[in-house]
Amino acid sequence: MSIIDEVTAKVKLVDGDQKEFQQAVAEVLETLEPTAERHPEFVKAGIFERIVEPERAILFRIPWVDDRGDVQVNRGFRVQFNNAIGPFKGGIRFHPSVNLSIIKFLGFEQIFKNALTTLPMGGGKGGSDFDPKGKSDGEVMRFCQSFMRELFRHIGPETDVPAGDIGVGGREIGYMFGYYKKIRNEHTGVLTGKGLEYGGSLIRPEATGYGTTYFAAEMLATKGLDFKGKIVAVSGSGNVAQYAIEKVTQMGGCVITACDSSATIVDEKGIDEEKCCYIMDLKNNRRCRIREYADKFQAACFEGQNVWDVIREQGIKVDIALPCATQNELDGENAAALVKNGCFCVAEGANMPSTPEAVRVFQESKILYGPGKAANAGGVATSGLEMSQNSLKMSWTRKEVDDHLLVIMKSIHKSCLDAADAYGKKGDYVAGANIAGFVKVAKAMLAYGIV
Amino acid sequence: MAYYSKISTGWDSLDAIIDHLRRGDNVVWQVDGIEEYQKLVSLFVNKALSNNERVVYMRFARHVPLLEERPPNLSIYHLNVENGFESFSAQVHSIITAEGRDTFYVFDSLSDLLHAWATDLMIVNFFFITCPYLFELNTIAYFAILRNRHSFKAIAHIRETTQVLIDVYSYKRKLCVHPIKIQHRYSPTMFFPHIKRDNELIPVIDSVEATQLFSHLLRDKTEIAQRNLDYWDRLFMRAEKLLQSDTSEEEKQDMVEQLSRLLLSRNKRILALIRKYLTLQDILQIKERLIGTGFVGGKALGMLLARKILHSNHSLKWDNILEHHDSFYIGSDVFYSYIVQNGWWNLFMAQKTKDGYFSKARRLRDLMLKGEFPEAMKERLQLMLEYFGQSPIIVRSSSLLEDAFGSAFAGKYESYFCVNQSSPEKRYQFFEQAVKKIYASTMNEDALAYRLQRGLDQMDEQMALLVQRVSGAYHKSFYFPHLAGVGLSHNPYVWKRNMDANAGMLRLVLGLGTRAVDRVEDDYPRIVAMDDPVVKPLAGMRDIQKYSQHYVDLLNLEENELQTVSLLELTQKDLNIRLNAVAVRNNETAQSRENGFLPGPDHWVLTFDHFLTATPFVKTMASMFKTLEKAYETPVDIEFTVNFTQADEIQINLLQCRPFQTIGVNPSVAIPETIQADKVFIQTEGNFMGGNVSQDISAIIWVDPKSYIELSISEKYSIARLIGKLNRLFAHPKRKPTLLAGPGRWGTHTPSMGVPVTFSEINQVVALAEVSFQDGSLVPDLSFGTHFFHDLTETPIFYMAIYPENSGVVFNQQWLDSLPNMLTSISPGDSRWDHVVKVYNLDMHKMILRTDVVTQKLVCYRQE
């Protein structure tokens, strides 16, 4: 029995009621099998046993008074999972489904996501089973303040820097940061996702889309290629897709697709800067369907199909694919069709947009495939950039942030490539992304001795 | 049967004067009393029967029967006049069709129809459509009308239509017969009055005698002036007199009831309400604003009644709160007259048949857009338009089927705005076109299918119209009410524990209420739970912005049309629309793209929060709900607008009120008391959203909880995408009404909690069930639909939460598991998921989902 199986089994035993966490441990550790073989010192130092156990998990009471004057009590969590390479870092989620299992599951994954950005950020996650839906503004504020009344003693710019997540947006971050500032009497970068007025960073919405494009460009560069003149398929039409289209266009590529939940548009002439602005206005301000794009610019429109179905059925030739819509949007069949039509580079802007079968197709056909873990890490990286600006007491311009983002994406790309190479899987970004983040954390843990 | 072209009246002397009857003759006798007509009828029928002719007697009046059912060649049909013109005429039409050619007919006195219909116009219309048909079938038909009963105009029309019109009266105790019209026959003395001496009819040709005779006939002069009016108007003039007199209140209320049956409703429950709340004066005021005759229709009645109910409640000063109305009504008879007088009746009847139901409807609809109104009607309509001047008005359908108890005829007919900004001629044209469009909308396929489905296809249409001044204010070149919406006194969308369904809910919009009444894709009215008006089932500004109203419907006075303008555009126009009371600035989007803090355009989000908390609006509406619900003895739904006075006080315009509607088929059928236990698939109390439904379920998509939790995260996402595929390929709200059921929270972001679908992946189903599953990690605490709350209410999709472990709750998974899974045949490529996703076809099982919001019962069962 390998150490991986042993650890997985042990988690099942001791955390028997934590189904989500168990599943995450099993799925992550499975990919780390080669590191255990390569690094007996990791096994010896109990890295695997230690990494599945959080540094600490804080569970606390959050009493607050609702608008009717009744006392409500919710449960708060902060799981500080791993700070080997930097302060604990990870979002806070307010949602009735929140429990210890979910928070541990998310916190565990966060360790590797953060490590992969190559920035000094540890992993953690927090939240509460509080449901902000149906609560008045005043109730949300009182809840956030009560939440912070306990959390403040566990966090700090050098200790733990939470961010937003589901149910925690600009409003909630504002209330929590305001209260922290009040009771600590210090204005420090203790939370990320702040408003621009009080320490937030520019380029947050753009980061994932830009980052994915930079990552794809790096992959192309390994073959001596770039975006110039390439036909690019982008799926989705939300933030990620919009900024991916913008950046690809700026880099000389020609994006011909976009989609929303109801339809896909194919514009053979390419979605240029003006058309991209139209999509942004359509989706962000006017909140209309993508089919309106087809009417306005005389593009083809396919109702009820996503980009990858359309490409397969219409036999459209694309050079590069950037799936930026949703999980499992691209299946094995679609992947085969993409490859057959000459696609040689896929970079994932969304989380897990390709099914395991699709990933297999990409890997077997040896095309450039950048998994979301690495390719969309730009989003996670901006949290780090916000921390950096807070520490420096500086606010960077858009260009400065964008330049840093480019550097980070290049560095992520390089560490994936290097890790894959080191483990005899040259060019395999999936293996690289799985291993690179972990090895960095593991090596740091090794250095600290048994702590 | 011998064929004679000349037919006898049974009275030789009369035959001689008029040169016999001819086949095709419609014979109208104008008589003083029914006895005279009876004599003439028996002469005619006896003769006919002796000649072996076939005689049909149409019996419908209250007077003594003209004929007894004895001879073999005589059939008697008993007809019902109470259901109104359309059904009566249709009955006659179908009898004539069935009896075929060459039959002899005797009709009861047409004057008796006044008792039920109260209008000469509709009797003329009946005559106008029936005579030509009888003529065509080579029949002879006897009709009678009572002298001095009908308007001159009515008599003139009858004379014009019929072949034979003969006046019969007594002069100096002797019977006089005076042919007025005998088509295609002539003799020198034919049109003189004839006096009966012995059994002979002698012409009165002596001028002295003739003068005496005629002056005798004209003796009652006061009657003459009145007979320039339709019986309808005379009836109401009598009521007016009654009101002025010191007759007892009870007698006046009896008159209310009598008139209400003609003007307002035949529904017993509604009549009881009318008797309680409306006075004779109210009825006469309604009549004053009625154009034409007949019913004002359900929508108009609902509005009038609800206003009256509120005014009679003194807990609030409704006089100061309710905006006054000056609506006009176009009576339901106008619709029939339009059809009859444009010569489309036969087509209209043909449309009522099974074969013609849809095919003839198309032709009829096209014709109805291009018909002509009689000059007199045009004049009335023009006068009404002059009254409104350049104020925008709305023409609304007010069918009798709409808005009544137990019927669900919501929004199937259209309404049209007349912005009223051009020349009087153009305005009239536009208005007339709106009227025709609404009339034609009765022949829309949607409306017809709806009627057919509910067994209403043979019922009278009774399409009246309501013409209302558009409630609103001028905002530069735009015209619209500040706020508008619909309200339900029972909230069918309780999404939170402790929320009180009986407090009711509102759907609120800025601008015209069309956006709240109609469900618009991708745009959301503000949903207000009356007991907790500020809370929303949303978290954070992003969601609040997303699920809010982004477009405003308004009238553009410059362009003279109804327009939809984006909120962003509207808020930049510097109109006085009290934005701070109804909206908040969205700071979160403002910072997203711009560098630093450069001010861009303000992004306003309509939350109405300030308005809901700082004005007495919610309290007022709550009181309105309570008062109306108590009077109607059932939950109600209403339409309203809100404007502000100069003094900044709110003015509510109550546009419509009706009993709470049931969605689905056979709405009048309640949940059966007992359902065989093994036929029940789901049974639960409470924990559902979507109001009263009666919905066929012809398929179920079921995600098996046990198999689902075993899947990896990635596989769980694949299940979500597969549901989306089935939603697209298989489910359809009409063709394949589907129930989607599965474990935990639909639409969650955490796949282990439920299937992480997006709304567009489930938007074709009619019902969504979240089933708790104890064994796994799927939390029994369900989302109660809040992931999709706004989309569920707008689509609408029915939602239910099922806790099979609770006592009294049934969820028969065993039965489900026994059915064959169709997944592979629908989507062959996805057979590897057939242990997780099950698709069941229930066509054979006649599954139906029924709920009752009052008892909070939900049951889904097989009717096989």
Side-chain angles (χ1 to χ4, degrees), chain A residues 287-415:
Chain A
R287 306 203 163 267
C288 297
R289 294 290 164 107
I290 196 80
R291 66 173 83 98
E292 287 195 14
Y293 177 101
D295 297 340
K296 181 155 169 94
F297 298 113
Q298 281 94 48
C301 182
F302 301 87
E303 295 281 340
Q305 285 184 303
N306 78 16
V307 166
W308 317 114
D309 292 338
V310 172
I311 286 179
R312 174 168 50 84
E313 286 182 15
Q314 306 296 319
I316 297 168
K317 184 195 165 324
V318 297
D319 301 317
I320 299 162
L322 306 179
C324 298
T326 186
Q327 293 92 348
N328 289 28
E329 54 173 300
L330 202 166
D331 63 19
E333 259 181 275
N334 292 333
L338 266 178
V339 173
K340 190 173 151 237
N341 291 348
C343 174
F344 52 81
C345 176
V346 178
E348 295 180 342
N351 282 324
M352 296 197 289
S354 309
T355 64
E357 296 80 52
V359 174
R360 209 168 303 129
V361 171
F362 294 144
Q363 288 180 318
E364 280 167 8
S365 58
K366 304 273 180 212
I367 67 164
L368 295 166
Y369 168 66
K373 236 176 242 188
N376 69 25
V380 181
T382 42
S383 284
L385 295 176
E386 186 174 337
M387 284 168 74
S388 306
Q389 293 173 68
N390 292 161
S391 309
L392 293 168
K393 302 276 187 277
M394 294 275 288
S395 284
W396 292 335
T397 61
R398 287 177 59 83
K399 181 161 186 323
E400 283 171 308
V401 183
D402 196 8
D403 289 346
H404 280 282
L405 180 66
L406 175 61
V407 172
I408 291 168
M409 294 314 296
K410 283 185 170 196
S411 147
I412 294 173
H413 175 263
K414 184 169 184 305
S415 65

Side-chain angles (χ1 to χ4, degrees), chain B residues 129-279:
Chain B
I129 54 183
T130 310
C131 288
Y133 193 43
L134 289 166
F135 178 79
E136 207 178 293
L137 291 176
N138 220 32
T139 68
I140 290 182
Y142 262 42
F143 297 94
I145 50 175
L146 296 179
R147 187 186 325 287
N148 296 340
R149 202 57 75 84
H150 300 277
S151 69
F152 292 129
K153 211 164 133 191
I155 304 293
H157 276 302
I158 289 175
R159 184 171 54 223
E160 210 172 291
T161 313
T162 192
Q163 285 76 34
V164 177
L165 173 61
I166 301 175
D167 211 355
V168 181
Y169 45 87
S170 69
Y171 174 58
K172 295 183 177 168
R173 296 209 189 140
K174 287 200 176 100
L175 184 75
C176 269
V177 174
H178 182 180
I180 310 283
K181 177 180 181 185
I182 311 288
Q183 203 170 42
H184 303 316
R185 275 148 280 183
Y186 180 75
S187 78
T189 59
M190 186 182 274
F191 295 108
F192 281 93
H194 295 69
I195 294 183
K196 184 182 165 200
R197 292 207 176 111
D198 300 323
N199 212 20
E200 291 300 306
L201 289 164
I202 312 295
V204 181
I205 35 181
D206 169 4
S207 68
V208 177
E209 199 174 2
T211 311
Q212 281 177 358
L213 181 86
F214 285 123
S215 58
H216 163 79
L217 287 177
L218 290 175
R219 63 183 180 264
D220 194 350
K221 294 216 169 78
T222 52
E223 283 279 306
I224 292 174
Q226 291 227 343
R227 285 183 59 207
N228 284 314
L229 299 171
D230 193 285
Y231 177 83
W232 178 265
D233 296 297
R234 285 183 274 154
L235 182 66
F236 281 91
M237 280 164 75
R238 278 215 300 282
E240 181 86 47
K241 263 189 205 155
L242 188 73
L243 179 69
Q244 309 298 342
S245 72
D246 40 13
T247 330
S248 73
E249 279 310 305
E250 201 170 324
E251 210 168 312
K252 286 179 185 169
Q253 274 317 98
D254 284 346
M255 188 57 146
V256 168
E257 190 151 336
Q258 190 196 337
L259 296 180
S260 297
R261 283 175 180 283
L262 301 169
L263 185 68
L264 300 178
S265 179
R266 293 196 199 105
N267 182 301
K268 276 200 186 113
R269 281 177 79 178
I270 298 269
L271 281 170
L273 275 177
I274 289 169
R275 202 181 160 94
K276 192 163 169 196
Y277 290 101
L278 296 190
T279 63

